[in-house]
Amino acid sequence: MTDAGEIAAFHDRCSDLMRALLSELARMPDRPRTLGEIEDAIGWPRRRIASVLGGVFHLRTTEFEGRRPYRFLDERRSASGRWEMWMDAEQARAVRAAARAEQRGAPRGSV
């Protein structure tokens, strides 16, 4: 996903756990990190990201044609040799804007 409105809609529709993951990814844009590093930063147990991504799969595929507001590198392409995840600067700006709108109590989808 690259469209800020679409990212805001995804943010509005996903779970609190997915929003926490998006916020953490937005905190350090353009920096691929292993899933373990991200889980440590959020204070989650190992494999929580896998569970959260599994939980958002139906939403992502039915409402967003499979698009996601984050990026992956598999173990063959990553520097660490493990799965890595990140979002680019534009995606991060859209997530932060959606979070600010939510904190202000803006109606869903009005970012």
Side-chain angles (χ1 to χ4, degrees):
M1 278 183 210
T2 56
D3 178 72
E6 185 178 36
I7 292 170
F10 183 90
H11 186 275
D12 287 345
R13 297 277 297 125
C14 69
S15 70
D16 289 343
L17 290 172
M18 186 68 208
R19 279 192 286 278
L21 175 56
L22 294 174
S23 292
E24 176 56 31
L25 294 173
R27 190 175 69 81
M28 300 177 79
D30 296 320
R31 182 172 173 246
R33 293 181 281 165
T34 66
L35 303 187
E37 287 177 87
I38 298 164
E39 288 163 336
D40 287 347
I42 300 172
W44 285 356
R46 289 292 189 260
R47 305 217 23 90
R48 172 70 54 89
I49 289 176
S51 177
V52 170
L53 295 178
V56 80
F57 176 79
H58 181 75
L59 171 72
R60 200 171 53 74
T61 56
T62 60
E63 295 187 32
F64 298 97
E65 299 175 348
R67 290 184 301 278
R68 50 178 73 115
Y70 48 87
R71 300 171 188 269
F72 279 111
L73 285 174
D74 67 22
E75 69 277 4
R76 288 170 278 160
R77 296 184 197 176
S78 70
S80 68
R82 298 168 57 199
W83 280 83
E84 295 178 348
M85 192 175 187
W86 83 100
M87 63 177 50
D88 65 37
E90 291 298 314
Q91 290 169 320
R93 271 192 279 286
V95 165
R96 288 191 297 268
R100 283 192 304 272
E102 182 180 39
Q103 288 173 350
R104 289 192 315 263
R108 295 212 179 254
S110 66
V111 176

